[in-house]
């Protein structure tokens, strides 16, 4: 199983400093919708404090939480891949402070500094692999409980 990594601590210090030069501090109040599935993914965040839930709309009235994120976690990866639309929704579970990065500026920096770009993409891929494994485990656990109760 992959281990959880934190994007900013995974980057070598010089690359982290270059990326952080593009950051701006933002905050979201508890229960704020940060983004909706299908919306334009033109930025991402690294959570400084608080908690965010990622959710998937199941019906017009129901959302299911698929992950909970906290301090140091990357929020948003859809800015990196076409069609640049959010795959999930995100909501502040508590007051949240975060670093916000505009995707266009980060992508320009990655083109100017290919080593930083490769490192950033590699670490985002590691984060996604870990989250996929965690989600798969939760689904298997839930499915196994459901099957036992049906039998």
């Amino acid at each position: 199983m992959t281990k959880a990594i934190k994007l900013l601590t995974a980057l070598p210090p010089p690359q982290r400093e270059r990326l952080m030069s593009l950051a701006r501090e933002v905050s979201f109040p508890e229960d704020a919708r940060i983004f909706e599935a299908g919306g334009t993914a033109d930025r991402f965040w690294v959570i400084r404090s608080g908690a965010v839930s990622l959710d998937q709309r199941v019906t017009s009235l129901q959302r299911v939480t698929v992950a909970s994120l906290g301090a140091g976690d990357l929020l948003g990866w859809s800015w990196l891949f076409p069609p640049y639309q959010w795959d999930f929704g995100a909501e502040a579970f508590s007051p949240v402070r975060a670093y916000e990065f505009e995707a266009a500026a980060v992508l320009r920096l990655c083109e100017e500094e290919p080593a930083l770009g490769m490192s950033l993409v590699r670490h985002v891929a590691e984060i996604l692999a870990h989250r996929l494994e965690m989600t798969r485990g939760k689904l298997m656990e839930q499915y196994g409980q459901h099957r036992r109760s049906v039998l």
Side-chain angles (χ1 to χ4, degrees):
M1 176 176 256
T2 60
K3 70 174 197 172
I5 67 165
K6 307 294 183 183
L7 180 64
L8 294 180
T9 56
L11 291 171
Q15 292 179 354
R16 180 174 48 247
E17 289 170 19
R18 289 290 293 136
L19 180 63
M20 288 304 295
S21 72
L22 301 177
R24 74 179 190 108
E25 293 185 26
V26 297
S27 61
F28 301 99
E30 183 176 353
D31 297 329
R33 290 299 292 172
I34 300 170
F35 55 82
E36 292 289 348
T40 301
D42 60 355
R43 62 197 65 240
F44 67 96
W45 301 264
V46 174
I47 300 169
R48 296 177 57 212
S49 65
V52 173
S53 61
L54 293 178
D55 57 52
Q56 182 68 55
R57 186 174 292 280
V58 180
T59 68
S60 62
L61 300 175
Q62 183 183 16
R63 299 176 202 262
V64 174
T65 298
V66 295
S68 297
L69 306 177
D73 286 333
L74 171 68
L75 172 60
W77 51 265
S78 298
W79 61 275
L80 197 51
F81 306 102
Y84 309 107
Q85 294 180 326
W86 300 118
D87 287 313
F88 302 101
E91 185 170 313
F93 187 71
S94 67
V96 171
R97 292 180 26 218
Y99 294 117
E100 181 178 79
F101 300 87
E102 290 186 29
V106 172
L107 292 171
R108 277 192 303 276
L109 178 61
C110 290
E111 287 178 11
E112 293 168 7
E113 299 185 28
L116 186 152
M118 182 58 132
S119 184
L120 182 64
V121 169
R122 190 181 88 238
H123 292 306
V124 169
E126 286 180 46
I127 292 166
L128 293 176
H130 176 74
R131 288 187 188 166
L132 178 61
E133 286 181 1
M134 297 301 294
T135 301
R136 183 175 48 218
K138 285 180 186 178
L139 288 172
M140 290 174 66
E141 182 180 297
Q142 186 174 2
Y143 178 72
Q145 289 175 353
H146 175 71
R147 279 198 48 98
R148 284 190 293 274
S149 68
V150 171
L151 299 174

